[in-house]
Amino acid sequence: MNKLINSPQTLLADALRGVAAAHGQLSVDFENRIVFSTAPREGRVALVSGGGSGHEPLHSGFVGAGMLDAACAGEIFTSPTPDQILAAATRVDTGAGVLFVVKNYTGDLLNFEMAAELAREQGIEVATVVVADDVAVEDSTWTAGRRGVGTTLILEKVAGAAAARGWSLEKVHGLAERTAHAGRSMGAALTSCTVPAVGRPSFDLPEGEMELGVGIHGEPGRKRVPVMSAAELSHALVESITTDYDLGGKPVIALLTGLGGTPLIELYAMFAEVSDRLNERNIKVARSLVGNYVTSLDMAGCSLTLVGVDDEILDLWDAPVNTPAIRWQD
Amino acid sequence: MSEALTIGALQQWLYRFASEITTQADWLTELDSAIGDADHGTNMVRGTAAVVTKLDGGATGTVQELLKAVGMTLVATVGGASGSLYGTFFIEMARNSPADVQLNGSELENALHAGVNGVIARGHATVGDKTMIDALEPAVTALSQSLADGQQLQCSIAAAAAAATTGRDSTKPLVARKGRASYLGERSAGHIDPGAASAAILLAALAASIGEGTA
């Protein structure tokens, strides 16, 4: 394992020090491992998210004006703890309430649920939206349900814009639910990732094979297949999503995220194919993002997210945002 | 062997749990690499080390206070599903323990039942889902049965630990229905569940502490 770290034990703390050093518009609570926005939020709904670390820039990279107010960083691939989430909620609540954005993993659900109970006991109004958009997982009562992946970013952006416009908690929550329901993702891995504290790959993936429908912790998905070309993989990803979800002629926001170990040149080559597949299906790409946004340490591969949108969601997407990983003006 | 667990015995249990978790951390992580996200050993070591620091700090007062402090420490340091589930286990045990310096057989039984029920309520898992419940629930059932049969407390705790180990091994052929392993579907079969493995360590540590006559 060759990693650019001091030690696995200090990696998270060191990374947070780096976030603080690099981004003056953020403030970092090192003890509680929370990244805060310094943007004014008086009288408006606050957005708090978080999860295991190792998926950067998710979530700390999305903290700032127009998006998240706080991100709680758990240990690598481990959800944050209830006291940590409570500390974030307590600090960002201005009386208008807090929206928790939670990805559908057992640990995240349990810890955010405990945090919500504790926050309500303190008189903080809390609403929770759960993102469960990964079509690689069969959504049934027999599994923990679908994982939350790329739709999380798109939801955090539009809900952040809505909060910045002064929407009520109920309205922001409604929008967040609507966005979560309209999003679907599917990914593929070309290598395993290596958790620093473990020091060896999480799973064994021989040369020439790939994992279709892999999760962002390296947990396998649908099946192992021979490595595909970008054209072949684009078919598989788009087909999986559109078979699962009828966009009903809506335009989409398309996110093609790398998983941490794939260069941009490959991601753009992949996005060209994805774009062709969507054109063939008359699916209009209204906005797109290509890059490393929801990653899995050093795993090679990519994940495609399509969120069906309307004019309101697009308008919120286009609203100004200033975070380390996403930044644009009117 | 007295018929009650003193607070000192409970502390020995927790020290032993921490040292066994450390010894077996690599194995737990290996199990978790196979069907989860390769962090169970690391997370449990971090949490139980924090418990040891807490115990070393002394002044735990009653059984209730001790168990609550342990639960809160695990919730705040382990993270993930294990943190909230193990934390809930001890917090619920605490809620159902006397404000006293020892637990007799029926008090231990009540507390353990409450702990396991708390885990079930929070995690919504039942026996057969391939989780820590597969080790915990048979353990408390065995404890109750053994006590009802008139066995000594030490003997009953040993039965509980044995049932937890059997329960742990029973997870091997199962297809996971909860937690991250459930994403593997059929591919989760053939591997012991890491949560069931750490839960069996918890019960084995209790039995070993009693066995050494610390009660």
Side-chain angles (χ1 to χ4, degrees):
Chain A
M1 177 185 72
N2 291 339
K3 298 254 188 198
L4 201 54
I5 61 177
N6 293 320
S7 77
Q9 289 70 36
T10 63
L11 176 56
L12 178 53
D14 291 341
L16 286 171
R17 280 199 299 122
V19 167
H23 304 290
Q25 79 274 32
L26 303 178
S27 72
V28 179
D29 173 347
F30 292 103
E31 193 195 332
N32 288 305
R33 298 173 167 185
I34 307 167
V35 176
F36 290 101
S37 167
T38 52
R41 57 175 157 264
E42 214 38 60
R44 64 167 181 78
V45 169
L47 260 65
V48 173
S49 192
S53 295
H55 309 302
E56 291 68 28
L58 184 85
H59 293 273
S60 58
F62 305 141
V63 176
M67 215 162 161
L68 294 178
D69 295 289
C72 303
E75 292 287 336
I76 301 281
F77 291 178
T78 301
S79 69
T81 61
D83 52 316
Q84 190 182 0
I85 301 163
L86 176 66
T90 307
R91 181 152 147 196
V92 298
D93 181 43
T94 62
V98 181
L99 179 71
F100 285 170
V101 181
V102 183
K103 299 183 301 307
N104 190 34
Y105 298 95
T106 309
D108 292 293
L109 290 178
L110 297 184
N111 287 287
F112 273 95
E113 182 183 287
M114 286 179 95
E117 287 166 13
L118 296 168
R120 287 188 191 111
E121 279 170 23
Q122 296 189 8
I124 299 173
E125 203 186 343
V126 175
T128 298
V129 60
V130 177
V131 184
D133 62 332
D134 187 349
V135 302
V137 178
E138 194 181 341
D139 195 9
S140 77
T141 52
W142 299 101
T143 70
R146 288 183 163 171
R147 297 175 287 228
V149 279
T151 300
T152 316
L153 178 164
I154 292 160
L155 184 158
E156 288 174 355
K157 170 66 188 80
V158 299
R165 288 177 183 179
W167 290 24
S168 68
L169 180 60
E170 191 187 351
K171 259 189 93 183
V172 175
H173 182 241
L175 167 81
E177 291 276 349
R178 188 153 64 89
T179 311
H181 287 303
R184 297 290 188 282
S185 298
M186 176 78 180
L190 302 167
T191 66
S192 171
C193 54
T194 297
V195 177
V198 179
R200 57 179 183 280
S202 295
F203 58 97
D204 170 46
L205 192 49
E207 188 70 28
E209 291 187 20
M210 67 189 291
E211 190 71 50
L212 201 55
V214 76
I216 52 171
H217 310 93
E219 73 276 21
R222 278 191 186 166
K223 55 184 175 181
R224 186 161 290 188
V225 295
V227 169
M228 298 179 194
S229 66
E232 289 166 335
L233 181 58
S234 70
H235 273 289
L237 299 187
V238 171
E239 184 68 24
S240 298
I241 291 174
T242 55
T243 301
D244 186 86
Y245 177 50
D246 179 7
L247 288 157
K250 277 187 180 176
V252 296
I253 297 175
L255 163 69
L256 184 72
T257 180
L259 298 176
T262 291
L264 277 177
I265 189 168
E266 293 177 30
L267 292 179
Y268 275 109
M270 184 67 202
F271 193 72
E273 298 295 337
V274 166
S275 173
D276 287 350
R277 299 296 86 72
L278 294 174
N279 281 335
E280 287 159 17
R281 288 170 166 79
N282 291 316
I283 297 169
K284 182 174 182 289
V285 178
R287 303 288 184 274
S288 51
L289 271 184
V290 179
N292 286 301
Y293 291 101
V294 182
T295 60
S296 181
L297 293 168
D298 54 348
M299 191 153 80
C302 67
S303 176
L304 175 67
T305 297
L306 300 179
V307 180
V309 295
D310 50 35
D311 288 344
E312 184 176 55
I313 292 180
L314 268 187
D315 184 48
L316 291 163
W317 175 260
D318 289 339
V321 60
N322 183 12
T323 71
I326 295 181
R327 180 164 53 239
W328 54 75
Q329 298 297 316
D330 264 332
Chain B
M1 167 72 203
S2 101
E3 275 300 282
L5 282 175
T6 63
I7 198 156
L10 291 171
Q11 285 171 338
Q12 286 311 309
W13 168 35
L14 296 162
Y15 277 119
R16 183 177 283 269
F17 179 48
S19 76
E20 283 297 315
I21 286 288
T22 303
T23 308
Q24 303 196 49
D26 287 347
W27 177 60
L28 292 174
T29 290
E30 198 179 303
L31 293 176
D32 199 25
S33 298
I35 60 171
D37 51 0
D39 64 359
H40 191 54
T42 320
N43 290 345
M44 291 302 291
V45 166
R46 187 174 57 246
T48 52
V51 167
V52 166
T53 306
K54 189 94 194 167
L55 295 175
D56 287 346
T60 42
T62 64
V63 168
Q64 197 171 60
E65 286 162 350
L66 169 72
L67 294 172
K68 184 170 180 204
V70 169
M72 299 303 280
T73 302
L74 291 173
V75 166
T77 55
V78 176
S82 326
S84 57
L85 293 172
Y86 272 108
T88 298
F89 175 78
F90 282 104
I91 291 166
E92 286 302 312
M93 270 190 88
R95 253 181 219 156
N96 293 276
S97 293
D100 196 352
V101 292
Q102 60 176 30
L103 283 177
N104 65 29
S106 68
E107 286 167 342
L108 176 70
E109 185 189 350
N110 283 340
L112 283 175
H113 264 289
V116 175
N117 288 338
V119 174
I120 290 171
R122 191 157 291 286
H124 312 291
T126 54
V127 167
D129 284 345
K130 197 174 178 105
T131 72
M132 60 198 286
I133 291 301
D134 288 323
L136 290 177
E137 190 165 283
V140 291
T141 304
L143 181 83
S144 295
Q145 187 61 51
S146 180
L147 288 171
D149 290 346
Q151 298 291 329
Q152 292 273 307
L153 184 57
Q154 180 175 346
C155 200
S156 301
I157 291 172
T165 304
T166 307
R168 172 198 72 193
D169 293 340
S170 77
T171 64
K172 190 165 182 179
L174 295 176
V175 172
R177 293 197 296 241
K178 294 284 174 188
R180 223 162 263 172
S182 72
Y183 304 131
L184 274 77
E186 298 289 335
R187 286 202 277 177
S188 65
H191 303 277
I192 286 173
D193 178 68
S198 59
I201 293 173
L202 180 73
L203 271 299
L206 181 60
S209 296
I210 308 310
E212 284 183 358
T214 51

